[in-house]
């Protein structure tokens, strides 16, 4: 809706009236038609009307009320007024929401002789950005009196001049317009002259002096007249010019122009000195009275004199200075033609010069509001900045199109009167582009087209849309056992592509169990730098491997996080001495007693020392040697198997009681060792009870035979079932191998092998004289099992013993089993319990 506000009185303060109708119904219908048309195009444009020359601080209108804003919104939404003029004539009273005069307004300086003087203003409101257009009409007041360029004007008139001849007089200029402009002329009373006022096509009034009665130079040679120009203001203002008329004799014919008005069109970029048009006048007199001299009219303004020149002889008009269509579109030049008679006779005509526009002004891009920062998660259509474009040329030369670079996530949305909004059109990512320098190209429709560019910087603010990322998906840490509590295990690091608080990372350990104990009891982490520290020392024999789930979380809102796994492998140290498990008496810490016959030959097996080491690898390699002996030449112990044998046959001279001190050492660094004392009693006829025992054992009872039969049948049944199962698996393997290329492995088995939590390890160690294979299996978070097979190349027997794992310190149950074995059986044992 368009509202027109008028301040009708400067003395009593502003009074606002709204004009919204006409008397006649036909005019009302036409008005409503234009009303709805303007409603759809101007979107609530407000218009005020004030007189010029108002004092500074005068109220134009209540802008906040007319825009539907509260007083608080003026501050909150940063309401401000922007003018297209170079000077800001208006401002907003933030306390009252009123539009007030900021500086003296001179309508004549702003709009010249234009009938309408309107100052367009843009009202910018932020949060959200909104642009409103208002107009302030500057009404004229009668502050200028009519004024003549010259206060004295001399006219020479021959006495033979016939009655009715007109003499153009100087026009007065009044900068005011409308009713305050020049209204009429009056002439002081004279019997020979009267005043006529002629109105030309543009409404301009030209005073003419008309000879009303024949002159008689002998009666009166000089006539003094006063021409007064009055405006229509209230009160009336006027200006006066003195006219001195000298009555001359003879030369009774005046020159005559071929046309009263000449018209010519010239382009504004015409070069200096360009020919425009020729004016031609004739005089029927002869001699000097018929010779014509051309000149520009005596009332020609200095601005026109600086632009045009006329040849005094030919009447050709030339351009002295380049024209500018944007300054003035048309000029009217008064041409005078005088003869050389006495008195001189003069004729007048006008030349209208229309300046044609040339595309010599590139378009301008003006920012109505400063660009704002945009969050990277802004929706499409978010307003970034408001701008307008203008071109000082006219016609097609002023039609401007705007263009953005290809691929830019922004578009220009037109609003009204060459105003545009720069809005987002795609996804923004601060991590890809911190700032956009949007280059807008404005091109007009002239020939050739002119263009200009403006770069608008738009910064993208960060949103927490990137989680922290660890430098590795998982970490492997190898830690020696028996370390110092509080020592650093490892440092994990993560990075975040976001900025500021969104990129600040804190580290923490997720709760999990290690041997049914929270992992936080074992380690803790520095939340700032990701350094992981041990809470106490670790024992390889109790814990070989465990996992730590580390989480990195940023400080954004909402916060984002990511996890990684730190696998900690405990490395064995040689901190356990070999432990004797056979003979059982030696294992329990007492003296081992052995008997052997005196008839024993060289190489006779007396007993066998069996020891285990809770360590692993080289630290668990065990060797045996005789440290002390009653007779060193009689007995020897195998370095690797611990078998105690005779080096020679027993003689009658050997003592019946022999004592051996056997040292058992591991291969670690430093070396750990233990000793066993063996007491051997040499006896005669020791083999006979053994033979009787074997004979008794070889006499099976009926009950034992029945059990043996059952065992044989069971073994045969299991064997047949195993063979059948093997054949079925072999056939299935052959069929599946044709399609998948893998044999004897199902998808479930394959998944089991792929599963990193299975943690199956096979270690083959061929260093040294003892060859062994160590198999570690089980889930990472469950109890693992360790089996070791030891084959000694020095042994005379082929031994392979596997025992289900148990605690290495619990030997009583193991010893009770070993007591049932024969002394000459050879075996090795290692038991480990690995837990997480």
């Amino acid at each position: 809706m368009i509202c027109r506000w008028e301040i009708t009185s400067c003395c009593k303060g502003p009074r606002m009236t709204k004009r919204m109708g006409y008397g006649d119904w036909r005019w009302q219908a036409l008005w409503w038609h234009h009303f709805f048309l303007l409603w759809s195009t101007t979107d609530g444009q407000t218009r005020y009307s004030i007189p010029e020359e108002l004092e500074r601080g005068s109220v134009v209108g209540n802008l906040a009320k007319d825009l539907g804003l509260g007083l608080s919104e003026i501050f909150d939404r940063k309401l401000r007024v922007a003018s297209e003029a170079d000077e800001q004539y208006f401002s907003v009273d933030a306390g009252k929401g009123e539009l007030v005069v900021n500086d003296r307004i001179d309508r004549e300086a702003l709009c010249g002789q234009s009938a309408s003087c309107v100052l367009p203003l843009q009202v910018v409101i932020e949060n959200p950005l909104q642009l409103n257009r208002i107009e302030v009409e500057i009404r004229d007041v009668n502050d200028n009196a009519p004024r003549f360029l010259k206060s004295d004007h001399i006219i020479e008139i021959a006495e033979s001049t016939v009655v009715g001849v007109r003499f153009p007089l100087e026009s007065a200029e009044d900068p005011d317009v409308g009713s305050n402009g020049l209204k009429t002329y009056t002439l002081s009373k004279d019997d020979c002259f009267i005043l006529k006022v002629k109105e030309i096509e543009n409404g301009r009034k030209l005073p003419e002096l008309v000879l009303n009665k024949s002159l008689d130079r002998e009666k009166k040679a000089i006539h003094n007249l006063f021409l007064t120009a009055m405006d229509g203001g209230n009160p009336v203002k006027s200006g006066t010019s003195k006219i001195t008329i000298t009555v001359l004799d003879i030369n009774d014919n005046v020159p005559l122009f071929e046309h009263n008005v000449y018209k010519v069109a010239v382009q504004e970029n015409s070069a200096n000195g360009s020919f425009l048009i020729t004016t031609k006048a004739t005089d029927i007199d002869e001699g000097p009275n018929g010779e014509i001299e051309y000149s520009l009219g005596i009332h020609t303004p200095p601005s026109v004199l600086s632009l045009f020149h006329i040849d005094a002889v030919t009447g050709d008009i030339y351009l002295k200075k380049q024209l500018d269509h944007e300054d003035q579109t048309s000029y009217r030049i008064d041409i005078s033609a005088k003869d050389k008679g006495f008195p001189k006779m003069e004729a007048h005509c006008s030349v209208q010069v229309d300046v044609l526009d040339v595309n010599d002004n590139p378009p301008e891009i003006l920012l109505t509001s400063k660009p704002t920062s945009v969050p990277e998660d802004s929706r499409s259509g978010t307003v970034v900045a408001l701008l307008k474009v203008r071109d000082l040329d006219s016609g097609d030369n002023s039609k401007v199109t705007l263009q953005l670079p290809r691929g830019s996530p922004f578009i220009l949305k037109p609003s009204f009167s060459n105003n545009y909004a720069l809005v987002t059109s795609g996804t923004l990512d601060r991590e890809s582009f911190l700032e956009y320098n949007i280059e807008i190209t404005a091109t007009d429709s002239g020939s050739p087209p002119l263009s200009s560019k403006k770069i608008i910087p738009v910064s993208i603010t960060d949103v927490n849309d990137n989680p922290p990322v660890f430098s590795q998906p998982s970490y492997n840490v190898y830690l020696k056992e028996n370390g110092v509590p509080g020592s650093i295990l490892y440092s994990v690091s993560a990075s975040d592509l976001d900025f500021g608080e969104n990129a600040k990372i804190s580290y923490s350990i997720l709760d999990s169990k290690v041997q049914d104990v929270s992992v936080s009891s074992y380690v803790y982490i520095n939340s700032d730098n990701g350094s992981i520290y041990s809470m106490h020392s670790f024992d390889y024999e109790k814990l070989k491997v465990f996992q730590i789930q580390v989480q990195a979380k940023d400080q954004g809102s909402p916060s984002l996080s990511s996890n990684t796994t730190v696998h900690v492998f405990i490395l064995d140290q040689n901190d356990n001495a070999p432990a004797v498990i056979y003979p059982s008496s030696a294992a329990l810490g007492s003296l081992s007693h052995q008997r052997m016959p005196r008839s024993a030959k060289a190489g006779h097996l007396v007993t066998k020392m069996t020891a285990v080491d809770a360590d692993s690898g080289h630290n668990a390699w065990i060797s045996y040697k005789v440290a002390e002996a009653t007779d060193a030449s009689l007995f020897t112990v195998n370095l690797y198997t611990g078998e105690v044998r005779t080096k020679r046959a027993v003689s009658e001279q050997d003592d019946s009681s022999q004592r051996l001190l056997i040292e058992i050492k591991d291969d670690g660094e430093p070396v750990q060792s233990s000793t066993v004392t063996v007491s051997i009693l040499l006896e005669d006829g020791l083999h006979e009870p053994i033979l009787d025992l074997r004979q008794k054992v070889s006499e099976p009872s009926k009950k034992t035979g029945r059990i043996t039969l059952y065992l044989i049948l069971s073994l045969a049944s299991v064997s047949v079932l195993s063979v059948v199962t093997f054949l079925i698996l072999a056939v299935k393997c052959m069929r599946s191998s044709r399609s998948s290329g893998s044999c004897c492995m199902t998808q479930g088995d394959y998944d089991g092998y792929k599963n990193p939590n299975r943690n199956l390890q096979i270690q083959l160690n061929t260093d040294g004289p003892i060859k062994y294979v160590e198999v570690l299996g089980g889930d990472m978070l469950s109890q693992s099992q360790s089996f070791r097979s030891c084959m000694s190349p020095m042994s005379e027997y082929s031994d392979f013993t596997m025992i289900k794992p148990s605690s290495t310190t619990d030997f009583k149950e193991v010893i009770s089993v070993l007591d049932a074995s024969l002394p000459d059986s050879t075996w090795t044992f290692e038991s480990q319990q690995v837990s997480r």
Side-chain angles (χ1 to χ4, degrees):
M1 179 175 181
I2 300 179
C3 298
R4 179 182 178 91
W5 301 94
E6 297 184 353
I7 298 180
T8 59
S9 174
C10 299
C11 300
K12 296 181 180 180
R15 181 173 60 88
M16 301 181 187
T17 61
K18 184 177 295 186
R19 302 175 180 175
M20 299 184 58
Y22 301 92
D24 188 77
W25 67 270
R26 290 172 296 178
W27 285 105
Q28 289 182 359
L30 182 62
W31 185 89
W32 280 110
H33 171 75
H34 288 291
F35 172 82
F36 288 110
L37 179 62
L38 291 173
W39 179 270
S40 62
T41 57
T42 60
D43 191 20
Q45 181 172 300
T46 303
R47 181 170 178 141
Y48 301 98
S49 178
I50 63 171
E52 64 176 331
E53 305 292 342
L54 280 180
E55 293 182 0
R56 186 173 183 177
S58 298
V59 178
V60 178
N62 195 320
L63 184 60
K65 180 180 179 182
D66 295 337
L67 295 180
L69 299 175
L71 293 181
S72 61
E73 291 182 282
I74 298 176
F75 294 97
D76 297 339
R77 300 186 64 182
K78 300 179 182 178
L79 184 144
R80 64 182 184 276
V81 175
S83 174
E84 294 181 359
D86 294 333
E87 188 169 356
Q88 299 294 327
Y89 291 101
F90 302 94
S91 62
V92 177
D93 187 343
K96 301 179 180 179
E98 296 175 335
L99 183 67
V100 297
V101 177
N102 196 43
D103 199 357
R104 174 181 174 270
I105 301 176
D106 186 357
R107 184 189 184 282
E108 288 72 30
L110 286 176
C111 304
Q113 293 292 314
S114 176
S116 174
C117 184
V118 177
L119 285 181
L121 303 176
Q122 282 85 30
V123 179
V124 181
I125 309 172
E126 298 183 2
N127 299 322
L129 281 173
Q130 182 180 348
L131 178 65
N132 293 273
R133 179 184 175 91
I134 66 173
E135 293 180 350
V136 180
E137 180 186 16
I138 310 300
R139 291 187 284 106
D140 184 53
V141 297
N142 192 23
D143 58 341
N144 293 283
R147 185 175 63 87
F148 292 92
L149 292 179
K150 293 183 179 180
S151 59
D152 293 325
H153 186 198
I154 300 176
I155 302 176
E156 296 177 344
I157 304 176
E159 63 176 348
S160 59
T161 304
V162 296
V163 175
V165 175
R166 298 187 176 199
F167 300 91
L169 300 178
E170 177 189 5
S171 299
E173 298 291 335
D174 192 340
D176 296 326
V177 296
S179 61
N180 296 324
L182 183 62
K183 182 109 177 158
T184 185
Y185 292 90
T186 61
L187 186 65
S188 61
K189 186 175 181 181
D190 189 278
D191 295 335
C192 295
F193 298 94
I194 61 174
L195 181 66
K196 294 288 184 180
V197 179
K198 182 175 69 174
E199 187 169 338
I200 59 177
E201 58 188 17
N202 59 357
R204 184 181 176 188
K205 293 180 174 61
L206 297 178
E208 291 181 335
L209 188 65
V210 181
L211 184 61
N212 190 44
K213 183 180 179 182
S214 297
L215 297 174
D216 189 354
R217 184 179 177 276
E218 286 69 31
K219 290 184 178 180
K220 191 174 183 178
I222 297 176
H223 296 260
N224 292 317
L225 305 176
F226 291 92
L227 179 65
T228 302
M230 295 179 292
D231 61 20
N234 186 15
V236 177
K237 294 188 176 183
S238 63
T240 304
S241 175
K242 182 181 179 181
I243 302 174
T244 302
I245 299 176
T246 303
V247 181
L248 302 176
D249 201 9
I250 64 172
N251 194 21
D252 55 352
N253 290 291
V254 297
L256 295 175
F257 280 99
E258 293 180 350
H259 304 284
N260 290 329
V261 177
Y262 292 84
K263 293 184 178 181
V264 64
V266 59
Q267 290 187 337
E268 62 175 326
N269 62 346
S270 297
N272 297 344
S274 298
F275 168 77
L276 299 182
I277 197 172
T278 299
T279 58
K280 186 173 179 61
T282 58
D283 193 321
I284 61 176
D285 293 328
E286 294 181 356
N289 293 331
E291 295 179 3
I292 298 175
E293 185 178 25
Y294 299 92
S295 64
L296 298 179
I298 59 174
H299 309 305
T300 303
S303 59
V304 177
L305 290 174
S306 65
L307 295 174
F308 302 98
H309 165 71
I310 189 170
D311 190 290
V313 178
T314 63
D316 295 339
I317 300 177
Y318 296 91
L319 194 63
K320 291 175 62 176
K321 187 178 178 182
Q322 191 170 351
L323 304 176
D324 190 350
H325 173 83
E326 287 70 45
D327 290 341
Q328 191 165 340
T329 60
S330 179
Y331 296 88
R332 193 174 186 90
I333 309 172
D334 292 330
I335 306 298
S336 173
K338 293 182 180 180
D339 59 24
K340 296 182 180 180
F342 187 83
K344 293 182 179 181
M345 304 298 288
E346 183 179 3
H348 299 272
C349 74
S350 298
V351 177
Q352 180 176 331
V353 180
D354 295 326
V355 182
L356 302 180
D357 184 47
V358 175
N359 193 27
D360 58 346
N361 290 283
E364 296 179 81
I365 301 174
L366 307 174
L367 280 178
T368 307
S369 68
K370 293 182 179 180
T372 58
S373 299
V374 182
E376 60 178 323
D377 62 345
S378 297
R379 293 183 178 179
S380 179
T382 301
V383 178
V384 177
L386 299 176
L387 55 95
K388 70 170 297 181
V389 61
R390 70 180 179 186
D391 195 313
L392 297 178
D393 294 321
S394 60
D396 290 338
N397 296 332
S398 64
K399 295 179 180 179
V400 181
T401 57
L402 297 180
Q403 187 176 8
L404 293 175
R406 289 185 178 180
S408 173
F410 300 92
I411 59 174
L412 288 170
K413 187 177 181 181
S415 54
F416 62 89
S417 300
N418 293 327
N419 286 271
Y420 297 85
L422 181 65
V423 300
T424 59
S425 64
T427 303
L428 304 177
D429 186 6
R430 189 204 68 85
E431 288 71 41
S432 300
F433 294 97
L434 295 175
E435 183 181 43
Y436 288 91
N437 289 316
I438 307 170
E439 184 181 74
I440 303 177
T441 303
T443 307
D444 60 28
S445 301
S447 180
L450 298 179
S451 63
S452 63
K453 296 182 179 180
K454 189 174 187 67
I455 295 178
I456 300 178
V458 178
S459 59
I460 309 301
T461 57
D462 185 51
V463 173
N464 192 26
D465 57 349
N466 290 281
V469 177
F470 282 96
S471 59
Q472 297 177 211
S474 63
Y475 300 85
N476 292 333
V477 179
Y478 298 92
L479 178 68
K480 292 182 179 180
E481 65 173 332
N482 304 322
V484 179
S487 60
I488 186 170
L489 301 183
Y490 199 76
S491 291
V492 297
S493 63
S495 59
D496 196 312
L497 296 177
D498 292 322
F499 179 74
E501 292 295 325
N502 296 331
K504 290 183 179 180
I505 299 174
S506 62
Y507 300 89
S508 63
I509 294 178
L510 299 179
D511 190 30
S512 61
K513 298 294 183 179
V514 177
Q515 292 183 342
D516 297 330
V517 178
S518 176
V519 70
S520 58
S521 301
Y522 291 87
V523 294
Y524 72 93
I525 190 169
N526 188 312
S527 60
D528 296 327
N529 57 25
S531 296
I532 303 174
Y533 299 87
S534 62
M535 300 283 286
H536 56 75
S537 61
F538 295 94
D539 189 354
Y540 174 82
E541 287 71 41
K542 295 181 179 179
L543 182 64
K544 287 184 171 58
V545 62
F546 64 95
Q547 289 178 334
I548 305 172
Q549 296 290 331
V550 179
Q551 183 181 78
K553 180 184 294 185
D554 59 31
Q555 304 298 317
S557 180
S559 61
L560 300 177
S561 63
S562 61
N563 301 335
T564 189
T565 302
V566 180
H567 302 278
V568 181
F569 298 92
I570 310 300
L571 300 181
D572 183 48
Q573 299 294 302
N574 193 27
D575 57 347
N576 290 284
V580 179
I581 62 173
Y582 187 83
S584 57
S585 56
L588 297 176
S590 59
L591 184 65
S592 175
H593 296 277
Q594 302 294 332
R595 293 182 299 169
M596 64 171 288
R598 280 189 174 272
S599 60
K601 305 298 183 183
H604 178 79
L605 178 62
V606 179
T607 186
K608 181 176 182 179
M609 298 291 107
T610 302
V612 294
D613 196 312
D615 296 320
S616 64
H618 288 270
N619 298 328
W621 289 3
I622 297 175
S623 61
Y624 306 84
K625 73 173 184 178
V626 177
E628 296 179 7
T630 304
D631 187 352
S633 63
L634 182 57
F635 298 100
T636 183
V637 62
N638 188 284
L639 181 63
Y640 303 109
T641 64
E643 296 175 346
V644 179
R645 296 179 181 270
T646 57
K647 296 171 64 175
R648 58 178 176 81
V650 181
S651 64
E652 295 296 333
Q653 289 79 22
D654 293 327
D655 292 338
S656 60
S657 177
Q658 299 285 332
R659 183 181 291 271
L660 297 178
L661 180 63
I662 299 176
E663 182 181 17
I664 306 172
K665 297 191 301 182
D666 58 25
D667 196 36
E669 182 63 36
V671 175
Q672 299 282 354
S673 63
S674 59
T675 58
V676 176
T677 302
V678 180
S679 176
I680 303 173
L681 180 62
L682 302 180
E683 297 179 352
D684 293 326
L686 183 59
H687 59 282
E688 292 178 358
I690 295 178
L691 291 178
D692 295 338
L693 178 60
R694 288 178 180 177
Q695 183 177 0
K696 291 180 181 180
V697 172
S698 62
E699 294 178 358
S701 64
K702 292 182 180 181
K703 183 177 180 180
T704 303
R706 187 178 298 107
I707 294 175
T708 303
L709 178 61
Y710 292 158
L711 291 175
I712 294 174
L713 292 176
S714 299
L715 181 61
S717 300
V718 171
S719 300
V720 172
L721 183 60
S722 300
V723 171
V724 173
T725 303
F726 176 76
L727 292 176
I728 294 174
L729 291 176
V731 173
K732 186 177 181 181
C733 178
M734 293 177 63
R735 291 179 179 176
S736 61
S737 62
R738 294 174 183 174
S739 58
S740 61
S742 62
C743 185
C744 299
M745 183 180 292
T746 64
Q747 183 66 28
D749 297 333
Y750 180 69
D751 294 339
Y753 284 110
K754 288 172 61 177
N755 186 3
N757 292 331
R758 186 64 183 170
N759 197 31
L760 182 61
Q761 300 181 13
I762 301 177
Q763 300 178 359
L764 175 62
N765 194 315
T766 58
D767 298 336
I770 297 179
K771 320 298 179 183
Y772 70 91
V773 176
E774 186 173 11
V775 180
L776 297 177
D779 293 339
M780 295 294 291
L781 298 177
S782 63
Q783 182 178 357
S784 300
Q785 297 179 354
S786 174
F787 301 96
R788 172 174 297 178
S789 62
C790 302
M791 283 74 72
S792 173
M794 302 300 292
S795 177
E796 297 180 1
Y797 305 94
S798 176
D799 302 322
F800 189 96
T801 303
M802 298 181 66
I803 301 178
K804 187 175 182 180
S806 61
S807 175
T808 55
T809 58
D810 186 9
F811 295 116
K812 293 184 179 181
E813 184 179 352
V814 178
I815 293 173
S816 65
V817 175
L818 293 177
D819 285 339
S821 303
L822 292 176
D824 56 352
S825 62
T826 61
W827 50 271
T828 62
F829 167 78
E830 177 180 352
S831 167
Q832 299 178 2
Q833 182 173 349
V834 180
S835 301
R836 290 203 82 254

